[in-house]
Amino acid sequence: MSILVTGGCGYIGSHTVVELLNLGKEVVIVDDLSNASAKVVDRIEEITGKRPSFYQQDVVDKDGLRSIFKKEQIEASIHFAAFKAVGESVQKPGAYYENNIMSILSLVEVMAEFDVKKIVFSSSATVYGSLNPSPYKEDMPVGVPTSPYGQTKVMCEQILRDIYISDNNWSISLLRYFNPIGAHESGLIGEDPSGIPNNLMPFIAQVAVGKREFLNIFGDDYETQDGTCVRDYIHVVDLAKGHVKALDKLNQAPDVYTYNLGSGQGTSVLELVHTFVAVTGVDIPYKMAPRRAGDLASFYANADKALADLNWKTEKSIEDMCRDTWNWQSKNPNGYENQ
């Protein structure tokens, strides 16, 4: 029996596939490669010694999915496949609503046809919106997200809850995670954003490798310890292990489980920059820029529930995240297009 990983060639998906394979699981990747590289499959094999099955396929295409389910013995799915750039979602809301909503609807419909009713869903801390105070807890009301991307995560969570209400044989895990950074310690897989990065760490890494002249820091007048935004950073390998734990939980009893995956610690933009410089010895020139609309001063997780229910917590430090990011970026200055 295999685990289906949609978006398995992407940043978080590829690291999760590695963890699954290392535990002896069979894995089937479905990815349309719209924001990923097929070279990831070779890198995964190089790390684990095992090659996952791979289908270049859009999850929205139900007939294409059905053909995969007919060929492979799928027992559960982990769904990463979605558009994820917050800024782009503001510019192209229709594309985000269409892709992110239709992909989950397509997947669960085909899963139900084949009586596969276990799914781990890649959600986001953005569902808490701007009204809840940090640290965020799972029992807080879902807020008003500041972007169409965040709104699609709220809607997908609701779709999955409604599916469970209609058929309580489903076992569903909603994973709300915070700011994944870092890379696999091998330096073979990591974050490879197309175009302009949407997150802080890829910008830092691109400055470090010489692709960008300096880093813009948006706002230095927030009510935080140094005036810059505070976020909850989590190593992508810790995050991947959280998905594996959540998958195991689905075997206990049908239900809808909701977990924050974060460190529970806030780190400011300047703290992250200074740590990167200290760990790597590479200077990161930066300039202060005006605040960006929609940025919150501070948000971080309360991850107690994941510890209690899943026996999961973060293990890697900010220093580990910076070191592994630089290991990846320095070996792959142009991402997967090096070769």
Side-chain angles (χ1 to χ4, degrees), residues 69 74-79 103-121 159-174 249-257:
F69 272 78
I74 308 295
E75 62 175 311
S77 298
I78 304 178
H79 183 54
S103 63
I104 191 67
L105 289 172
S106 172
L107 177 60
V108 294
E109 179 179 327
V110 174
M111 287 176 65
E113 289 176 15
F114 288 84
D115 198 33
V116 178
K117 296 183 178 180
K118 295 175 184 174
I119 184 170
V120 176
F121 176 65
I159 287 167
L160 290 168
R161 287 194 187 90
D162 289 342
I163 285 171
Y164 175 76
I165 291 170
S166 72
D167 178 0
N168 57 21
N169 289 312
W170 279 85
S171 197
I172 297 166
S173 189
L174 310 175
K249 179 74 173 179
L250 298 186
N251 293 320
Q252 293 186 12
D255 206 341
V256 179
Y257 303 95

Side-chain angles (χ1 to χ4, degrees), residues 90-225:
V90 176
Q91 302 298 321
K92 302 176 180 179
Y96 272 68
Y97 284 113
E98 180 178 21
N99 181 75
N100 293 4
I101 304 302
M102 293 306 295
S103 63
I104 191 67
L105 289 172
S106 172
L107 177 60
V108 294
E109 179 179 327
V110 174
M111 287 176 65
E113 289 176 15
F114 288 84
D115 198 33
V116 178
K117 296 183 178 180
K118 295 175 184 174
I119 184 170
V120 176
F121 176 65
S122 168
S123 191
S124 167
T126 58
V127 302
Y128 291 109
S130 59
L131 302 180
N132 288 307
S134 288
Y136 296 147
K137 297 185 70 174
E138 291 89 347
D139 58 1
M140 286 178 172
V142 170
V144 181
T146 56
S147 69
Y149 161 76
Q151 193 63 54
T152 66
K153 293 298 186 183
V154 171
M155 296 169 75
C156 288
E157 283 195 7
Q158 189 60 52
I159 287 167
L160 290 168
R161 287 194 187 90
D162 289 342
I163 285 171
Y164 175 76
I165 291 170
S166 72
D167 178 0
N168 57 21
N169 289 312
W170 279 85
S171 197
I172 297 166
S173 189
L174 310 175
L175 301 184
R176 297 170 176 171
Y177 37 86
F178 286 69
N179 293 73
I181 59 176
H184 192 269
E185 63 182 8
S186 66
L188 287 168
I189 58 174
E191 188 167 12
D192 183 22
S194 58
I196 299 173
N198 301 292
N199 303 313
L200 175 62
M201 186 57 102
F203 267 112
I204 294 174
Q206 288 186 7
V207 172
V209 84
K211 291 186 74 173
R212 296 183 183 276
E213 187 178 350
F214 60 88
L215 171 72
N216 276 317
I217 295 178
F218 297 102
D220 61 354
D221 57 350
Y222 288 96
E223 291 186 12
T224 60
Q225 64 266 37

